[in-house]
């Protein structure tokens, strides 16, 4: 509640004085922007205050390590009038710009793809103030400031960048980078700073991005999570350096309540349909920065084949046929796309996250397109991209991470609720303690959180059991429990990763991946292996990097870092991913 009030008076918040301080570390929420963003969303955004005096910049929550912020120069070339705020480091007395090797101006990947950027560290205020606690100002907040860039669809049409991202930490507490002879550049990340300063109980966060269109409010806490956002089985597993890998076992279509709008009650096997090279599992990353759900073309086509959609090559996305009566029936019904994952990295247990089709009725809006266009956010992967469940998926999933501080932390995922979700008063979030390796779900039933929203067809009989029992069942998904026939699926296709952001996105993605592959080849055993998910971690490497200054920005400066070979490789990877990947994705919004 408090956070929402703050939204409308963000600037004045700084001046508010509070009487008493909380007893100890507690989870801290963020201030949400009073408006939404995203030409492919819309999405909720976090309102931050950057620099001294504060500049109001809205950012989408997601990503690791440094955040992407758009600089004041951005609009000198190509810009989205709805931009979420442009940051001008020249007008901040606390800004520190990393010098050293020319950043983003050496004819390297980013630049050739139309992106110029620089690393800047400045004071940032990200969390909602609470009564009795002092205002929180994070010094040396780690940012990469983009001064040029744009999005581009596969067909070549370009559109401006609108909003960057608020990265949600890393296992490192502090980061430091060489700075071309000058004092090292020291950066801080939000959750680790809050933990290190004794403000929150752990270097962690819990996030449910919610849905603007369906009226599901967002929830983001550092050092804890909102239990009402965690339903049913929770899967816990290791994270990668800057990504969250998990095995996707299948994708199915099901109906939670009542009759089916399809000519089947449920249909499984969509993930591998028509693609023999997809075995029993496909490792995917869960990264909220990119807007779409990025899957093999065969999978998107299999989903799309069951829906009134058609692929639009110029956008790289599947568009809903809104004149087909089945469109309205499906996106308002209790039908959903079920994503079944390996539970706790187990070979026998599974859990499923259901994404109602109402959340997959997203809209492309100007200036990306000339008129609002309903699309299905499944984006066929290009050869070099990694399957990724982006923000469209995140509307229905809770994700939490306890980074810990040694690279040995855990990330969590669970079903998130629908619109019927209690709004928790400030201060009642559940703490995540420093060594916690699990989050405790609510006992709420997922069906009940959607009951008042969706329109069951004829009967009201529930087919899905979203409470915890099904989890232990170890069988695949709960989603399709009803009587069902597993027929062959169709093809829904989604959006293309590269679609929107063509240049930025795709380009970055490609580069990113290519680099990764190369690196992996070069790497020796312990190094960070992007492709191997289960045991992501790079503890060893991590430490190495840390000593030399962390990962983020170094990529650019990789050559300047005398460290081990591994370091340089990781660094490069890192940045690559964060920068291009994130940007690109976000840019799209
Ligand atoms: C650009 O990158 C190349 C290769 O890393 C390097 O040799 C060169 O010195 C760089 N140029 C500048 C101006 O930093
Ligand atoms: C990036 O910056 C360099 C150096 O200022 C400039 O020459 C180049 O045109 C810029 N790139 C873009 C895409 O604006
Ligand atoms: C992180 O940096 C801050 C500021 O320099 C310092 O006070 C703190 O002790 C550092 N924390 C760790 C764990 O190094
Ligand atoms: C960053 O931290 C290092 C080590 O504590 C210190 O030597 C350096 O001066 C700091 N850099 C700045 C810009 O304060
Ligand atoms: C609507 O869906 C039903 C059931 O799947 C199907 O039989 C019918 O052909 C669809 N109608 C159109 C216009 O696609
Ligand atoms: C089949 O799946 C593989 C991943 O296992 C993917 O690389 C390939 O592009 C897929 N083929 C099609 C036609 O989507
Ligand atoms: C959309 O659906 C209507 C009704 O089924 C159909 O007549 C029309 O051809 C479809 N349009 C496209 C582009 O598929
Ligand atoms: C699809 O989403 C758009 C944008 O939120 C909304 O206006 C439209 O009513 C939705 N379609 C249906 C059938 O609910
Ligand atoms: C998954 O792992 C977590 C952490 O180890 C554990 O608390 C939880 O009980 C496990 N879930 C199941 C269903 O085994
Ligand atoms: C949904 O809510 C209505 C009204 O409260 C109730 O009658 C119905 O049984 C509920 N359906 C399910 C599946 O819970
Ligand atoms: C849901 O799970 C509970 C507990 O296992 C069970 O009693 C109930 O019958 C299940 N409901 C459905 C619809 O499967």
């Amino acid at each position: 509640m408090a956070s929402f009030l703050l939204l409308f008076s963000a600037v004045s918040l700084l001046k508010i004085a509070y009487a008493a301080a909380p007893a100890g570390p507690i989870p801290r929420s963020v201030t949400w922007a009073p408006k939404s963003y995203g030409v492919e969303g819309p999405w909720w955004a976090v309102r931050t205050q950057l620099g001294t005096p504060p500049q109001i910049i809205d950012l989408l929550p997601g990503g690791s390590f440094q955040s992407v912020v758009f600089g004041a120069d951005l609009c000198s070339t190509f810009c989205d009038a709805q931009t979420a705020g442009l940051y001008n480091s020249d007008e901040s007395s606390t800004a520190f710009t990393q010098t050293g090797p020319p950043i983003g101006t050496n004819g390297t990947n980013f630049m050739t793809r139309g992106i110029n950027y620089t690393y800047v560290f400045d004071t940032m205020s990200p969390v909602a103030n609470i009564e009795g606690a002092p205002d929180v100002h994070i010094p040396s907040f780690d940012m990469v400031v983009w001064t040029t860039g744009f999005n581009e669809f596969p067909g070549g049409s370009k559109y401006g960048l609108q909003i960057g991202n608020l990265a949600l930490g890393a296992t490192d507490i502090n980061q430091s980078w060489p700075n071309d002879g000058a004092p090292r550049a020291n950066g801080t990340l939000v959750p680790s700073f809050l933990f290190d300063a004794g403000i929150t109980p752990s270097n962690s966060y819990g996030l449910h991005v919610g849905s603007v269109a369906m009226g599901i409010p967002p929830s983001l806490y550092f050092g804890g999570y909102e239990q009402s956002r965690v339903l049913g089985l929770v899967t816990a597993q290791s994270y990668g350096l800057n990504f969250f890998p998990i095995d996707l076992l299948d994708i199915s279509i099901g109906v939670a309540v009542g009759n089916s709008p399809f000519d089947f009650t449920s249909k499984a096997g969509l993930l591998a349909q028509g693609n023999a090279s997809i075995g029993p599992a496909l490792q995917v990353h869960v990264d909220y920065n990119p807007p779409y759900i990025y899957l093999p073309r065969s999978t998107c086509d299999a989903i799309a084949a069951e829906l009134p959609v058609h692929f639009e090559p110029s956008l790289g996305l599947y568009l809903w046929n809104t004149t087909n009566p089945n469109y309205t029936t499906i996106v308002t019904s209790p039908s959903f796309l079920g994503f079944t994952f390996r539970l706790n990295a187990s070979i026998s247990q599974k859990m499923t996250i259901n994404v109602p089709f109402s959340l997959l009725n997203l809209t492309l809006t100007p200036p990306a397109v000339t008129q609002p266009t309903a699309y299905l956010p499944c984006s066929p992967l290009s050869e070099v991209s990694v399957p990724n469940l982006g923000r469209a998926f995140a509307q229905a999933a809770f994700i939490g991470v306890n980074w810990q501080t040694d690279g040995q932390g855990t990330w969590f995922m669970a079903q998130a609720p629908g619109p019927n979700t209690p709004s928790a008063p400030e201060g009642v979030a559940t703490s995540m303690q420093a060594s916690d390796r699990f989050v405790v779900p609510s006992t709420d039933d997922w069906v009940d959180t959607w009951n008042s929203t969706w329109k069951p067809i004829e009967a009201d009989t529930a087919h899905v059991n979203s409470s915890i029992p099904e989890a232990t069942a170890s069988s695949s998904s709960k989603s399709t429990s009803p009587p069902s026939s597993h027929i062959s699926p169709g093809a829904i296709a989604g959006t293309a990763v590269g679609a929107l952001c063509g240049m930025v996105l795709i380009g970055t993605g490609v580069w990113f991946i290519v680099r990764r592959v190369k690196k992996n080849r070069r790497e020796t055993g312990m190094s960070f292996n992007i492709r191997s998910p289960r045991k992501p971690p790079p503890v060893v490497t991590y430490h190495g990097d840390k000593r030399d200054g962390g990962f983020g920005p170094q990529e650019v400066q990789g050559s300047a870092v005398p460290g081990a070979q591994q370091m340089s490789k990781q660094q490069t990877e890192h940045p690559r991913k964060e920068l291009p990947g994130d940007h690109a994705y976000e840019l799209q919004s």
Side-chain angles (χ1 to χ4, degrees):
M1 185 67 185
S3 64
F4 284 94
L5 293 176
L6 292 177
L7 294 178
F8 302 96
S9 59
V11 177
S12 62
L13 290 178
L14 291 175
K15 302 168 186 165
I16 299 174
Y18 295 99
I26 58 170
R28 295 297 294 266
S29 182
V30 299
T31 295
W32 293 98
K35 58 174 288 195
S36 60
Y37 294 94
V39 297
E40 79 297 276
W43 319 112
W44 301 113
V46 175
R47 173 143 294 185
T48 68
Q49 300 174 59
L50 268 180
T52 311
Q55 300 173 34
I56 302 300
I57 310 286
D58 293 339
L59 299 170
L60 298 181
S64 309
F65 291 91
Q66 71 271 22
S67 300
V68 174
V69 172
F70 297 142
D73 297 339
L74 187 73
C75 288
S76 63
T77 51
F78 190 41
C79 194
D80 184 326
Q82 299 301 310
T83 178
L86 299 177
Y87 167 72
N88 188 344
S89 59
D90 292 340
E91 293 183 356
S92 172
S93 64
T94 45
F96 177 87
T97 300
Q98 186 175 5
T99 57
I103 294 178
T105 57
N106 193 14
T108 54
N109 312 282
F110 298 172
M111 186 176 148
T112 55
R113 289 187 163 80
I115 303 169
N116 272 354
Y117 62 90
T118 184
Y119 289 101
V120 181
F121 305 86
D122 203 345
T123 297
M124 195 271 280
S125 177
V127 303
N129 292 326
I130 56 177
E131 187 174 341
D135 291 356
V136 174
H137 297 280
I138 295 184
S140 301
F141 172 64
D142 190 351
M143 295 177 273
V144 55
V145 176
W146 284 30
T147 50
T148 8
F150 54 85
N151 290 312
E152 183 177 357
F153 283 112
S157 74
K158 297 180 175 62
Y159 60 98
L161 306 177
Q162 189 180 87
I163 185 167
N165 73 293
L166 175 65
L168 301 175
T171 196
D172 304 26
I173 291 288
N174 288 329
Q175 296 189 297
S176 177
W177 292 272
N179 194 28
D180 197 29
R184 292 175 69 88
N186 305 314
T188 52
L189 305 172
V190 179
S192 56
F193 171 84
L194 295 174
F195 171 54
D196 201 36
I199 295 168
T200 59
S202 57
N203 177 19
S204 67
Y205 70 86
L207 170 67
H208 174 207
V209 302
S211 164
V212 175
M214 297 307 296
I216 306 172
S219 174
L220 171 58
Y221 280 85
F222 296 108
Y225 59 97
E226 214 175 337
Q227 196 178 40
S228 63
R229 302 310 180 109
V230 189
L231 306 181
L233 291 177
V234 179
T235 178
Q237 51 277 311
S238 301
Y239 54 76
L241 189 56
N242 61 350
F243 60 91
F244 305 117
I246 190 168
D247 278 357
L248 178 61
L249 304 179
D250 196 13
I251 293 176
S252 58
I253 288 174
V255 184
V257 178
N259 293 342
S260 174
F262 305 98
D263 54 12
F264 50 80
T265 0
S266 71
K267 179 172 288 190
L270 299 178
L271 174 63
Q273 180 173 308
N275 192 335
S277 75
I278 298 177
L282 177 69
Q283 185 198 344
V284 299
H285 291 178
V286 178
D287 179 347
Y288 286 12
N289 265 339
Y292 313 131
I293 295 167
Y294 307 87
L295 293 169
R297 176 71 191 243
S298 58
T299 304
C300 285
D301 282 347
I303 296 167
E306 305 299 338
L307 303 170
V309 297
H310 67 276
F311 187 69
E312 175 48 58
S314 68
L315 301 176
L317 295 169
Y318 298 78
L319 304 183
W320 286 102
N321 179 349
T322 55
T323 62
N324 186 319
N326 284 352
Y327 156 71
T328 301
T329 306
I330 291 168
V331 306
T332 57
S333 77
S335 59
F336 56 81
L337 207 51
F339 293 77
T340 300
F341 300 95
R342 211 183 276 291
L343 174 69
N344 282 359
S346 160
I347 57 169
S348 60
Q349 293 190 297
K350 307 174 183 180
M351 60 89 72
T352 299
I353 289 175
N354 295 332
V355 185
F357 281 110
S358 57
L359 293 175
L360 299 175
N361 167 38
L362 293 174
T363 310
L364 292 171
T365 53
V369 290
T370 53
Q371 60 186 27
T373 305
Y375 77 99
L376 175 77
C378 193
S379 173
L381 282 176
S382 60
E383 316 151 358
V384 290
S385 305
V386 176
N388 185 64
L389 306 183
R391 189 169 283 110
F393 170 79
Q395 297 176 102
F398 166 85
I399 187 173
V401 182
N402 192 348
W403 294 109
Q404 301 206 6
T405 54
D406 56 1
Q408 297 295 297
T410 309
W411 75 277
F412 317 100
M413 188 165 66
Q415 177 78 57
N420 182 17
T421 299
S423 53
E426 193 71 35
V428 304
T430 305
S431 290
M432 213 184 294
Q433 299 304 327
S435 60
D436 280 358
R437 306 189 70 82
F438 196 56
V439 294
V440 181
S442 146
T443 54
D444 293 343
D445 190 324
W446 173 71
V447 169
D448 293 338
T449 67
W450 280 99
N451 189 15
S452 57
T453 306
W454 55 33
K455 296 178 182 146
I457 299 171
E458 299 186 14
D460 244 8
T461 318
H463 305 300
V464 171
N465 207 334
S466 56
S467 48
I468 303 186
E470 81 174 65
T472 49
S474 90
S475 62
S476 42
S477 51
K478 56 179 177 195
S479 44
T480 53
S481 34
S484 54
S485 52
H486 295 262
I487 301 175
S488 67
I492 282 184
T495 58
V497 171
L500 291 181
C501 303
M503 254 190 166
V504 175
L505 267 189
I506 293 184
T508 54
V510 173
W511 179 62
F512 173 38
I513 298 210
V514 170
R515 286 195 81 131
R516 284 179 169 183
V517 173
K518 283 183 186 165
K519 292 188 175 195
N520 283 339
R521 286 189 188 134
R522 277 182 273 153
E523 285 185 4
T524 55
M526 78 167 178
S527 60
F528 175 70
N529 181 348
I530 297 186
R531 310 240 165 206
S532 81
R534 283 305 153 63
K535 298 265 170 184
V539 178
V540 178
T541 341
Y542 228 106
H543 290 306
D545 276 45
K546 198 168 175 182
R547 267 181 264 136
D548 235 305
F551 307 96
Q554 293 210 353
E555 95 169 283
V556 181
Q557 309 187 333
S559 59
V561 180
Q565 184 106 353
Q566 280 193 343
M567 282 187 46
S568 62
K569 8 176 209 183
Q570 282 193 347
Q571 296 174 342
T572 6
E573 279 188 333
H574 236 342
R576 179 19 190 153
K577 200 233 170 164
E578 305 196 10
L579 293 181
D582 290 344
H583 314 338
Y585 296 129
E586 303 219 9
L587 304 180
Q588 300 188 355
S589 58

